[in-house]
Amino acid sequence: MNFSTLDFAIFIGYCVLIIAVGIWVSREKKGHIKNSTDYFLASKSLPWWAIGASLIASNISAEQFIGMSGSGFAIGLGIASYEFMAAATLIIVAKFFLPIYIKEGIFTMPQFLKLRYDDRIRTSLAIFWIMLYIFVNLTTVLYLSALALSVVFDVSTMWAIVGLAVVAVSYSIYGGLKAVAWTDVIQVVFLIMGGLVTTFLALDAVSGGQGPIKGMGMLLEGVPEKFDMILSEENPFYKDLPGMTVLFGGMWIANISYWGFNQYIVQRALAAKSLKEVQWGLVFAAFLKLLIPLVVVIPGIAAFALNAEISRYDEAYPWLLNTLVPTGLKGLAFAALMAAALSSLSSMMNSTATIFTMDIYKAHLKPEANEKQLVIVGRLVSLTAIIIAVLVAEPLLGGEEQIFQFIQKYTGYVSPGIVVLFVFGLFWKRATSNAALATAIASVPFSIIIDQVFPTMPFLDQMGLVFLLLSTLMIVYSLYENKSRGIMPANPIQYERSLFRTDMIFNVASFAIVLTLAAIYIIFW
């Protein structure tokens, strides 16, 4: 990629800005010592717009820019179902899940499992999530983002990994979630602005310089097959997006697991000023989700229409940056890519630290730990997690050709089990601790067995089938313990229906989002 001095200046200036803002917002008032609520939940002070921006910044990373643009090149707009269905999922999470989380006053998702079931479930899932964040999430974001950095700066991938880690560490470890969330507000602006620049130029190129609106029209006319939201069985990519399952099957499992029960996503919601603020924040994030395909999918389709000379699908977005984006704007577009990476890295580091500190250290290693010790442990764990990820990222992922798809599939092995644990824990009072433990243990084996028995079944359909099997296990085992052994849940969640009432702003905004989604699927069926 041909970077000019101006491009380098813009990119480096962006990194300096993020570090400076992160350190500045991390300051505490004179005489106030940062406690665990300050560090892990940003003093519960985040307004709705910061929550929404931080959610999107943490969610969108190099995988989306590079991986989804590549899928846009190969599959088309259908891959945007992951984003569109996420918008609908955010509304469900805001209305039905978060009121219970906030009422219970939890710090972490494993803590909720302890309240609902027992400490065995809490500890098992805490260890699982820590390993997942370090060896899957952190390493993937580091490696994919470093690949792009290494090309621009002409350095080895390892040095690019180290550079990314240093920038993320420099502001996030000291300030905690407050630094992460407030820098995310800036990063989501760069992410969307920089991404839209690339989209604008790609569509303009499609139209031969007649503007992006004309270019969009020419895309619709020239490659209509790339705008099918629901793929037919004859489509070569049907296994990735199996028709109606996108709307009524396994994609719901993936989205609900990610947006409803994922620590580094939910943690921002738990840091809100109030329940109303968090619900508005999630609706704001849902609106932003409707824009994301314009930033990460449409460029891939444009690259296809422009007959991009690439050897693999994931090269579509870098090809656009190198071929179409001019001096100066190239630095802005690349800053958007790095904004996505840095926000995800800092979020995952903070959430790893939160789970270890509250669910392992305070719960088992040192229950009497004071607030100062909890913050110190949180910082040390954040640093340790990123160091481990730096050391293993290239050896672990360097030989993988389809990193995004690989991670999606094997992370999906546990998603059905997590959804069953939380959904039944939240809304079915008869679910027992032993049934929950059996479900947690069975999740991966069930997924592997279904994959082996039905190897040609689309993965989203496999997830849906595993969810049904695990739900059956949870129900049958719980009812057996209820009736035959007289065992009833020790801590069923108690709530009134009034807890799920939402205000008019939330209801109107939610209706507008659902109406927009319905229109998209009807138009591009």
Side-chain angles (χ1 to χ4, degrees):
M1 187 177 295
N2 300 315
F3 252 47
S4 68
T5 302
L6 179 59
D7 291 316
F8 281 117
I10 291 173
F11 176 71
I12 293 171
Y14 163 76
C15 292
V16 172
L17 173 66
I18 291 300
I19 294 171
V21 171
I23 294 173
W24 184 74
V25 300
S26 301
R27 298 170 303 139
E28 294 294 336
K29 294 180 180 179
K30 189 175 181 180
H32 178 72
I33 298 175
K34 197 183 294 288
N35 58 36
S36 58
T37 302
D38 297 328
Y39 191 78
F40 298 118
L41 294 182
S43 306
K44 291 194 173 183
S45 61
L46 297 183
W48 64 269
W49 47 273
I51 293 168
S54 187
L55 282 171
I56 297 303
S58 300
N59 165 239
I60 302 299
S61 189
E63 302 103 303
Q64 277 74 19
F65 268 100
I66 296 174
M68 289 197 78
S69 289
S71 295
F73 185 100
I75 301 172
L77 191 63
I79 196 66
S81 285
Y82 279 100
E83 306 302 312
F84 293 143
M85 298 302 286
T89 305
L90 281 163
I91 295 171
I92 294 172
V93 171
K95 185 171 179 65
F96 296 109
F97 297 175
L98 284 170
I100 299 176
Y101 296 158
I102 291 176
K103 171 182 173 291
E104 297 296 328
I106 61 173
F107 271 70
T108 69
M109 302 315 294
Q111 185 182 357
F112 173 81
L113 294 175
K114 164 70 185 319
L115 291 175
R116 177 58 180 86
Y117 298 116
D118 60 30
D119 203 53
R120 296 174 301 169
I121 309 296
R122 174 194 197 173
T123 304
S124 301
L125 268 294
I127 293 171
F128 162 76
W129 266 313
I130 289 169
M131 301 295 285
L132 180 72
Y133 289 156
I134 293 175
F135 291 101
V136 176
N137 298 88
L138 279 172
T139 54
T140 303
V141 174
L142 274 173
Y143 183 73
L144 289 178
S145 305
L147 286 178
L149 267 179
S150 64
V151 172
V152 171
F153 290 98
D154 192 25
V155 296
S156 69
T157 305
M158 188 63 198
W159 278 113
I161 289 171
V162 171
L164 270 172
V166 168
V167 175
V169 163
S170 62
Y171 69 89
S172 63
I173 287 184
Y174 173 69
L177 185 61
K178 185 182 291 184
V180 174
W182 287 109
T183 53
D184 278 353
V185 174
I186 297 174
Q187 304 208 92
V188 82
V189 173
F190 272 86
L191 188 156
I192 292 177
M193 283 179 54
L196 286 176
V197 165
T198 305
T199 303
F200 179 96
L201 294 170
L203 292 176
D204 187 59
V206 170
S207 70
Q210 298 181 62
I213 296 177
K214 178 69 173 178
M216 189 67 191
M218 292 179 68
L219 273 187
L220 290 168
E221 293 177 8
V223 286
E225 72 277 8
K226 295 296 182 182
F227 288 89
D228 292 335
M229 292 298 302
I230 305 298
L231 305 186
S232 66
E233 292 189 31
E234 292 73 34
N235 192 296
F237 296 99
Y238 178 82
K239 191 172 182 181
D240 297 318
L241 294 168
M244 295 301 292
T245 302
V246 169
L247 294 179
F248 304 108
M251 188 169 284
W252 281 105
I253 307 302
N255 272 301
I256 290 174
S257 174
Y258 182 86
W259 293 102
F261 314 126
N262 185 347
Q263 177 67 28
Y264 85 85
I265 293 298
V266 176
Q267 192 167 339
R268 275 132 190 79
L270 300 177
K273 290 180 178 180
S274 65
L275 177 58
K276 181 183 290 186
E277 292 279 343
V278 71
Q279 289 176 328
W280 288 0
L282 264 68
V283 168
F284 177 46
F287 272 113
L288 292 177
K289 267 292 174 188
L290 298 180
L291 291 176
I292 296 303
L294 191 61
V295 174
V296 300
V297 179
I298 297 299
I301 300 175
F304 177 84
L306 291 168
N307 297 312
E309 297 178 0
I310 58 176
S311 58
R312 49 186 290 186
Y313 299 138
D314 287 350
E315 293 176 0
Y317 199 82
W319 181 87
L320 289 170
L321 287 181
N322 195 40
T323 306
L324 301 179
V325 182
T327 297
L329 289 180
K330 192 172 290 185
L332 177 63
F334 194 73
L337 190 62
M338 289 303 104
L342 288 173
S343 59
S344 295
L345 287 174
S346 57
S347 298
M348 293 165 189
M349 288 162 54
N350 187 260
S351 294
T352 302
T354 305
I355 291 176
F356 181 88
T357 304
M358 306 307 293
D359 295 305
I360 304 295
Y361 182 76
K362 184 173 175 60
H364 299 291
L365 302 180
K366 195 172 183 180
E368 72 280 5
N370 59 37
E371 293 294 312
K372 184 177 181 180
Q373 290 172 325
L374 294 178
V375 173
I376 291 172
V377 169
R379 287 171 173 158
L380 290 175
V381 172
S382 289
L383 183 60
T384 303
I386 195 68
I387 289 174
I388 293 173
V390 166
L391 293 176
V392 305
E394 190 169 20
L396 189 66
L397 299 173
E400 290 291 337
E401 293 184 3
Q402 295 290 332
I403 295 172
F404 182 71
Q405 290 83 351
F406 177 84
I407 296 302
Q408 286 291 100
K409 180 169 183 175
Y410 291 101
T411 301
Y413 272 9
V414 298
S415 295
I418 289 172
V419 173
V420 169
L421 285 177
F422 278 94
V423 168
F424 281 84
L426 285 165
F427 303 113
W428 194 48
K429 294 183 179 181
R430 288 181 173 272
T432 65
S433 301
N434 290 330
L437 183 62
T439 300
I441 293 172
S443 184
V444 172
F446 274 29
S447 295
I448 294 174
I449 290 170
I450 293 299
D451 192 21
Q452 295 299 314
V453 174
F454 304 103
T456 61
M457 179 183 288
F459 183 63
L460 287 175
D461 290 348
Q462 290 181 358
M463 286 181 64
L465 180 56
V466 172
F467 172 77
L468 293 175
L469 292 173
L470 292 174
S471 296
T472 302
L473 174 62
M474 172 69 90
I475 293 169
V476 171
Y477 199 157
S478 293
L479 292 178
Y480 164 72
E481 291 204 310
N482 293 165
K483 295 180 179 180
S484 299
R485 303 179 63 189
I487 298 175
M488 296 298 291
N491 304 302
I493 300 299
Q494 304 291 339
Y495 51 80
E496 300 293 332
R497 288 189 178 182
S498 59
L499 184 66
F500 304 116
R501 290 176 185 163
T502 47
D503 63 19
M504 183 172 291
I505 293 176
F506 176 88
N507 294 336
V508 170
S510 299
F511 179 75
I513 290 169
V514 172
L515 199 62
T516 302
L517 290 173
I520 289 171
Y521 277 94
I522 290 171
I523 293 169
F524 297 109
W525 189 268

